[in-house]
Amino acid sequence: MLSACVTAPDGTKQLDSKVMGALLGAAAGCAVGSAVDGKKGCLAGAVVGAAAGFMIAWHFESKKIKTAQEINAEYARQNQLQPKNRVNLPKNDVVVAKFQPRVSSAAPDTKGQKEVQITANTDLVGYGDQAPKVQQTYAIYDEHNKLVEQKTEDVASVDGAGRYQTTSKFKLPAEAQGKNYTVKTALVSNNQTVKENAYKVSVREDGQLLVQALAPTEV
């Protein structure tokens, strides 16, 4: 348990979110199992619940790959060359100009789990001094359109205008082979959803991952 802890910004120890998910799953499983078969039911239910909590492993990180000066200059040039596609560069604000995610995959690991990676570039433009609060949300639905996992991550690297890259990775269990999933991701700025994207993800019997991008939505 101690090895599963992470250090919070204030120096305290906290459980890793995946471990917490497993513990919550174990607690729920124990409660259900106990109602059926006492202590034995609790133990069996806890094992199943913990496994459910670990069904999807998640990783997220963000970084700034272009400065405010670089991105504002890039869009200023674009506005001159393509005036019909002009992007407003506010003098006293920083706004979202583009959100461009891409889904890719890696080979299954030794347990047969398939890793899905979502890499997104987000462009913030403008000359304002105050950076917006930017978040990226993820939702994974199974072939019956049932929500499997949902996450909201802060793009902590945002400090003003610039181009930011986020990378999120999650693993589908080996049982996902032969099934279809829908992955939805959205960009949220100051608690307002700005852009949404969705993908159909199919895991073939041979382990190959097929990804189909659906039409993006701008809110």
Side-chain angles (χ1 to χ4, degrees):
M1 291 296 291
L2 287 176
S3 63
C5 290
V6 294
T7 303
D10 62 359
T12 60
K13 293 286 185 179
Q14 297 178 349
L15 281 176
D16 179 87
S17 59
K18 289 183 289 184
V19 177
M20 181 62 74
L23 290 176
L24 291 175
C30 177
V32 174
S34 294
V36 178
D37 193 21
K39 292 182 179 179
K40 290 183 179 179
C42 173
L43 179 59
V47 171
V48 174
F54 273 113
M55 183 173 291
I56 293 182
W58 197 277
H59 169 79
F60 178 85
E61 63 182 21
S62 67
K63 61 183 178 180
K64 189 172 188 176
I65 59 176
K66 277 199 174 183
T67 66
Q69 292 78 10
E70 290 173 327
I71 204 70
N72 284 329
E74 179 180 316
Y75 276 85
R77 289 193 299 270
Q78 178 180 305
N79 287 344
Q80 291 181 340
L81 297 173
Q82 302 176 20
K84 291 184 179 180
N85 299 321
R86 181 178 180 82
V87 175
N88 182 39
L89 303 178
K91 293 183 178 179
N92 300 309
D93 200 2
V94 175
V95 298
V96 177
K98 183 185 291 185
F99 174 58
Q100 195 170 35
R102 179 174 57 87
V103 175
S104 58
S105 65
D109 61 16
T110 56
K111 296 181 181 179
Q113 290 183 313
K114 191 74 174 178
E115 183 177 82
V116 179
Q117 177 172 305
I118 304 175
T119 303
N121 284 347
T122 299
D123 291 352
L124 300 179
V125 299
Y127 300 95
D129 295 329
Q130 187 171 357
K133 179 182 179 181
V134 180
Q135 297 173 305
Q136 201 167 336
T137 65
Y138 303 88
I140 305 167
Y141 298 85
D142 66 13
E143 53 191 356
H144 303 296
N145 204 34
K146 181 181 178 181
L147 183 65
V148 177
E149 183 89 350
Q150 190 170 28
K151 290 280 185 179
T152 298
E153 300 283 0
D154 292 332
V155 185
S157 56
V158 171
D159 58 5
R163 176 167 291 156
Y164 298 88
Q165 186 175 88
T166 58
T167 303
S168 56
K169 301 176 184 178
F170 61 90
K171 288 186 177 182
L172 295 171
E175 293 78 10
Q177 288 191 3
K179 298 180 181 179
N180 301 313
Y181 292 85
T182 300
V183 178
K184 296 181 179 180
T185 181
L187 189 74
V188 180
S189 178
N190 287 337
N191 298 317
Q192 295 292 322
T193 301
V194 181
K195 296 176 184 289
E196 297 178 329
N197 290 75
Y199 301 84
K200 287 290 185 183
V201 178
S202 302
V203 186
R204 301 192 324 192
E205 293 293 346
D206 61 2
Q208 292 296 313
L209 194 74
L210 302 179
V211 179
Q212 178 186 2
L214 303 178
T217 302
E218 186 160 348
V219 181

